[in-house]
Amino acid sequence: MRHTLVPFALLDGGTLEVVWANDAFARMTGYDASGARAHQHDLVPAGVRRHDELTAAREAIRAGRATSATLTLRRADGTLFPCQVHVSPIAGGPAREDAPVATWVAAFHDLTEQTSHDAEQAALMESERRERRCLGIIAQVSDLLMDVTDMATPLHEVATLLRRSVVGGAAFYVNDGGLRTPDELDGRRPPSGRGSRHGESRRPDGGDEAAVERDAVQALLDGDRDRPVEVDVRGDYPRGSASYWLAAQAGVDDLGDLTDGRVVVYPVPGRRRVIGVLVVVGRYGGGLTGLETSTRTVVELTARRVGLTLDNARLYDREHRLAETLQRAMLPQQAEVDGLDVWTYYAPNSENAQVGGDWYDVLQIDPDVVGIVIGDVVGHDVEAAAAMGQLRSVVRSYAFDVTTPGPVLERVDQLVAGMRIPRSAGLVLSTLRRDGGGWSLEYSRAGHLPALHARGGHVDQLSGAGGPLIGFGSGARATETVRLEPGDVLVYYTDGLIERRDRDLREGLQALCGIVGAVTARDSAGIGEELLSRLADHPEDDVAVVVVRVPDPRDAAERGRSPRRRRWSLPSEAASVGRARHAVVRTCHAWDMPDASNAELVVSELVANAVLHGYGHVSLQLYDTGDGLRIEVEDGNSAPPVTTDGHPGRVGGFGMQIVERLADWGWRQSSRGKVVWAKVRPGALPSSAR
């Protein structure tokens, strides 16, 4: 830093004059002593004067005190520069009548470089603040798009977020059979992105079609342009074109009233096609000039994030529907078996595409012969499902022809070896034959876990008649026979029921045997549901279960003496809602209770509320009260349930209103939190039917 020493008279109102200046002062200001003296009374522009500092310095000089001030001075070339001035009196100088000090020395420090550095740092801090704000907005957009239960709600919420943070107005429009507002979409399905063109007809005045300008919005939808375009919503566009529709809709949404009529249209791109557009209006004017650079970045990233989310939703919807179609085609409907109580269950691993290689089959071969198959093909993909479908058809065909399990599997081995099915598979095939007043069981295993036979609390593993996986058998397959008595239970299952990362299959099989032996339910559905509640809360693989019970004449008398009751412990996750619905429907059928659909709606809402607003595991209990079904759902939140007017587009907003229409309900405190109960009213109409 350089300092300049001069006698200083600029601060005393003009009574002192510059008498000397060094070379550094001349280099900094362009003035020598005479030049400084000639121009020392020149004024700087009013906009840069520092009146407070100037006044304080003058008062200090009049009092004879040293002082400092930051001022703006003028160089000889007319430029202005900030300067720190330090003024000190020289003791012993000649006295003056009007001032205690006659001579002063001033040191000047040019602040130009420091001021530029401070301005640069301030600009960097502002840039960093804008970047943090942009990242925060994009993070909020990502949060809003995490739960896309319908298309309209997240698009409206993202547009609202943009309006509150960076733009004056914003709206999404999706391309699904032409441009549409989000509210016009099918809430159950995402937009396809390939909707028909709006068309290129004549102008409203009937002008020649060849004279019509290219439709800029349609160019975005067609992918011919990938940068945002300006659209004047008050302009003249071909009737029926995308720009014509957008201009009209912008008027409905009040976007055109925010500016001079110009809006900015951003494409919302998917992977292969543009799914829609995002229309924004700047806060300080229409068109691109009304949007700051950081705002453009936020809007463009938001459009891309929304497009990717909608495209993922579309792809998932397509795969999910394909998987559901395959699953419905490959799994049989529950067979009604005369003389046996049969319950079946299948659930794919939630991490997969809702399709896998586990399967079961219940075959009414003839009035006195029932075939039961459970199997598992290696893998969790469409190829595994296709292999499962082939095996199911082969086993079903041979079982109707031969019926004895061992010879059936021998034929299956021969055919599968020739078919070259790419996936290995294991299965258990059994037939139950009516023998007088009872039943006998024949079974054969091909590389699959043994079925269980329970009688009077004792459980046997049917581990006989074992053999290699299907397709690897080269010789005869054995068949074992077991005589069944009234009250006997057979449990068929796949490894997903018992296999866990923290234990091996042997430990899981022992746990299953212990649970089956302790079950007190006297119907196959009750037994199956208790197995699921104890073992299938967090399955790590597909689960298939078949429970067969030989009816006991004492069952009816036992049901008359004690009320029926079932209990499930469910994890606090969305999948538990579906589990609860299926459990209630199966229980109503097992107990011959009407109004299963109403009970399904009620339990769906109660469990959904417990998952959304409760803590910890959710306990579901069902009671046969003799005059209806009582449902109790317990969670860890002690706050009472609240009936609201609902939240359009959100899950659960109308929940307790639905419950009120179908059931009498209430709640009570519990040791864990609260219990919400509902007793389904017989004959109540579902809310959808009113």
Side-chain angles (χ1 to χ4, degrees), residues 644-648 652-654 657:
T644 69
D645 293 331
H647 311 287
F654 299 93
Q657 291 187 17

Short mmCIF file of all heavy atoms in Angstrom, two decimals, residues 644-648 652-654 657:
data_model
loop_
_atom_site.label_atom_id
_atom_site.label_comp_id
_atom_site.label_asym_id
_atom_site.label_seq_id
_atom_site.Cartn_x
_atom_site.Cartn_y
_atom_site.Cartn_z
N THR A 644 -62.34 -35.67 8.58
CA THR A 644 -62.08 -34.44 7.83
C THR A 644 -62.96 -34.38 6.60
O THR A 644 -63.67 -35.32 6.27
CB THR A 644 -60.60 -34.36 7.41
OG1 THR A 644 -60.36 -35.36 6.42
CG2 THR A 644 -59.68 -34.59 8.60
N ASP A 645 -62.87 -33.24 5.91
CA ASP A 645 -63.59 -33.08 4.65
C ASP A 645 -62.83 -33.67 3.48
O ASP A 645 -63.26 -33.57 2.34
CB ASP A 645 -63.85 -31.59 4.38
CG ASP A 645 -64.81 -31.00 5.40
OD1 ASP A 645 -65.64 -31.77 5.91
OD2 ASP A 645 -64.71 -29.80 5.67
N GLY A 646 -61.65 -34.25 3.76
CA GLY A 646 -60.89 -34.90 2.70
C GLY A 646 -59.91 -33.96 2.03
O GLY A 646 -59.99 -32.75 2.13
N HIS A 647 -58.93 -34.57 1.35
CA HIS A 647 -57.93 -33.84 0.59
C HIS A 647 -57.95 -34.39 -0.82
O HIS A 647 -57.46 -35.50 -1.06
CB HIS A 647 -56.54 -34.01 1.20
CG HIS A 647 -56.52 -33.75 2.68
ND1 HIS A 647 -56.62 -32.49 3.20
CD2 HIS A 647 -56.44 -34.60 3.74
CE1 HIS A 647 -56.57 -32.56 4.53
NE2 HIS A 647 -56.47 -33.83 4.86
N PRO A 648 -58.54 -33.70 -1.78
CA PRO A 648 -58.65 -34.25 -3.13
C PRO A 648 -57.28 -34.65 -3.67
O PRO A 648 -56.31 -33.92 -3.58
CB PRO A 648 -59.23 -33.08 -3.94
CG PRO A 648 -59.95 -32.26 -2.91
CD PRO A 648 -59.15 -32.38 -1.65
N GLY A 652 -56.42 -41.34 1.86
CA GLY A 652 -56.85 -41.31 3.24
C GLY A 652 -57.63 -40.09 3.67
O GLY A 652 -58.12 -40.04 4.78
N GLY A 653 -57.80 -39.07 2.83
CA GLY A 653 -58.47 -37.86 3.25
C GLY A 653 -59.93 -38.06 3.62
O GLY A 653 -60.47 -37.35 4.44
N PHE A 654 -60.60 -39.04 2.99
CA PHE A 654 -62.01 -39.29 3.25
C PHE A 654 -62.21 -40.57 4.07
O PHE A 654 -63.30 -41.11 4.12
CB PHE A 654 -62.78 -39.41 1.93
CG PHE A 654 -62.73 -38.17 1.09
CD1 PHE A 654 -61.77 -38.01 0.11
CD2 PHE A 654 -63.64 -37.14 1.30
CE1 PHE A 654 -61.72 -36.87 -0.67
CE2 PHE A 654 -63.61 -35.99 0.52
CZ PHE A 654 -62.64 -35.86 -0.46
N GLN A 657 -64.88 -40.83 6.89
CA GLN A 657 -66.22 -40.66 6.33
C GLN A 657 -66.73 -41.97 5.74
O GLN A 657 -67.90 -42.32 5.88
CB GLN A 657 -66.20 -39.57 5.25
CG GLN A 657 -65.97 -38.17 5.78
CD GLN A 657 -66.14 -37.12 4.71
OE1 GLN A 657 -66.72 -37.39 3.66
NE2 GLN A 657 -65.64 -35.92 4.96
#
